[in-house]
Amino acid sequence: MRAPLSVHATIPLGDEHLARIRAVSPHVHLTHRPYSFHDRPAGMDSDLRDVEVLFSHHARFEMAAAPRLRWLQLGGAGVDHLKGAPVLASGILITNAHIFAVPISEYVIASVLAFHYRFPQLMERFQKGRIWPENPWLECAGNEVAGTTMAVIGFGSIGRAVARLARCLGMSVVATRRSRAGPAQEDGVRVYPPDRLREVLAEADAVVVCLPLTTETEGLIGQAELGAMKPHAYLVNIGRGKVIQEAALLTALREGWIGGAGLDAHAQEPLPTTSPFFDLPNVILTPHMSGISTGYPERITSLFCENLRRYLAGEMLLNIVDKQQGY
């Protein structure tokens, strides 16, 4: 008879989701102590002594605290927050969660449309200021996105979802992809290797950065790349803040190298209240929430249950992290 499988979850989940995990197998022994992503769980080590499977955002502990651990299922897609953590240098299997394509792609389109139709300015002047424009046809005219070009930097699962929605709006899409050795067509999108980045940026009216943070991508977009963009282009970053050189981006926004930016990811989080980005009229800021939606608990539970079934059956798990590549 199989011994119980000790599973510990720190992802905040409701009773119905915990019940689904337990229902995967009668051998699953699940414990649950929820922490939010931004918590620093000081007492977490005491829960890990007998754990074989950890389902968590957090994994900064000495490996001696979890001697039986064999598999870590992360609740998010990025692993950069674990840089320097012992688990990344261990033989522990790590899987991440590629479940954010729907909310993030919808967020991207919302940000692009809000910029093109000047929603922040209209809400400030009309809704809050209660000032009816003298000539709405001149003062409130938006810029249609149909017929424009979007560049997706990082054509993974999220990038592909963004491209699908953009094409539905009548936009053409170009993209870069790390694994692409030469230009190709993928699902109606012209995809180029990373060394064609500036060429792709120069073509776009909207640029969406979907890159993870790795040694290759940190600071990838700087003065030369921003200078290659069109003066009216709108940059949306839903990847990681440190992929873009902040000083160069500030200069580009202040001096009009680009038209504006929608920033959900920031080099420092929480974004300090003194950040100059708050004062820029051509920036739409959000607090790293583009992937957060009411659908998250259902999606993460479904992914974990499938991976847990595979683990028990000795099958290949979904979304195995390449620790060398960092994603």
Side-chain angles (χ1 to χ4, degrees):
M1 183 174 179
R2 185 182 181 115
L5 176 66
S6 178
V7 179
H8 183 62
T10 74
I11 306 290
L13 295 171
D15 290 342
E16 69 276 20
H17 299 108
L18 298 174
R20 284 181 56 192
I21 295 171
R22 293 187 174 99
V24 170
S25 168
H27 301 293
V28 170
H29 174 68
L30 175 67
T31 55
H32 184 228
R33 187 196 294 262
Y35 297 99
S36 76
F37 182 82
H38 294 290
D39 284 341
R40 295 293 180 264
M44 183 174 166
D45 287 15
S46 62
D47 296 323
L48 301 178
R49 184 180 60 187
D50 298 319
V51 170
E52 182 173 342
V53 176
L54 177 61
F55 180 26
S56 179
H57 293 301
H58 302 282
R60 283 195 170 274
F61 47 79
E62 297 300 323
M63 297 314 299
R68 295 187 57 203
L69 184 65
R70 297 295 178 268
W71 165 37
L72 166 64
Q73 171 69 62
L74 293 171
V79 297
D80 52 282
H81 66 291
L82 294 179
K83 185 177 181 179
V87 71
L88 283 184
S90 74
I92 303 302
L93 180 68
I94 301 177
T95 54
N96 59 2
H98 294 293
I99 58 172
F100 301 98
V102 169
I104 290 181
S105 61
E106 292 181 357
Y107 169 96
V108 167
I109 297 302
S111 186
V112 171
L113 290 175
F115 177 76
H116 273 247
Y117 284 90
R118 302 165 57 205
F119 280 5
Q121 292 84 357
L122 289 173
M123 291 179 69
E124 183 70 24
R125 180 174 171 79
F126 176 58
Q127 188 169 335
K128 290 178 64 176
R130 307 187 185 195
I131 300 172
W132 191 276
E134 291 185 11
N135 189 337
W137 287 80
L138 291 177
E139 298 177 47
C140 302
N143 296 307
E144 299 170 6
V145 299
T148 64
T149 298
M150 174 179 285
V152 177
I153 312 305
F155 199 57
S157 59
I158 292 172
R160 288 192 292 271
V162 170
R164 282 194 295 271
L165 292 185
R167 295 183 69 224
C168 288
L169 291 175
M171 303 179 78
S172 61
V173 183
V174 294
T176 63
R177 186 174 184 179
R178 182 181 181 276
S179 60
R180 177 58 58 194
Q185 284 277 342
E186 295 185 30
D187 300 323
V189 176
R190 287 178 288 125
V191 185
Y192 295 89
D195 61 7
R196 303 281 290 275
L197 173 61
R198 292 181 193 173
E199 179 182 336
V200 169
L201 291 172
E203 189 174 344
D205 303 289
V207 173
V208 184
V209 180
C210 303
L211 296 170
L213 182 62
T214 68
T215 55
E216 291 182 359
T217 65
E218 185 169 0
L220 179 68
I221 297 177
Q223 179 177 332
E225 289 71 29
L226 294 165
M229 291 172 58
K230 296 177 180 179
H232 66 264
Y234 182 63
L235 173 70
V236 183
N237 187 10
I238 50 81
R240 289 293 185 266
K242 291 183 179 179
V243 170
I244 303 174
Q245 298 175 28
E246 277 201 343
L249 179 58
L250 275 169
T251 300
L253 290 164
R254 285 169 170 165
E255 297 185 2
W257 303 359
I258 64 175
L263 304 177
D264 185 53
H266 314 279
Q268 183 179 349
E269 295 182 0
L271 187 65
T273 57
T274 56
S275 171
F277 286 106
F278 283 110
D279 300 318
L280 297 179
N282 54 348
V283 173
I284 299 174
L285 293 175
T286 52
H288 206 152
M289 46 62 65
S290 60
I292 301 172
S293 73
T294 54
Y296 175 78
E298 178 63 26
R299 288 193 183 97
I300 194 63
T301 300
S302 295
L303 172 62
F304 183 61
C305 286
E306 173 58 19
N307 261 350
L308 187 58
R309 182 198 66 77
R310 290 174 178 234
Y311 183 82
L312 288 163
E315 300 174 5
M316 179 75 74
L317 303 191
L318 301 172
N319 305 334
I320 295 175
V321 171
D322 184 326
K323 296 177 186 177
Q324 297 301 315
Q325 297 294 342
Y327 57 89

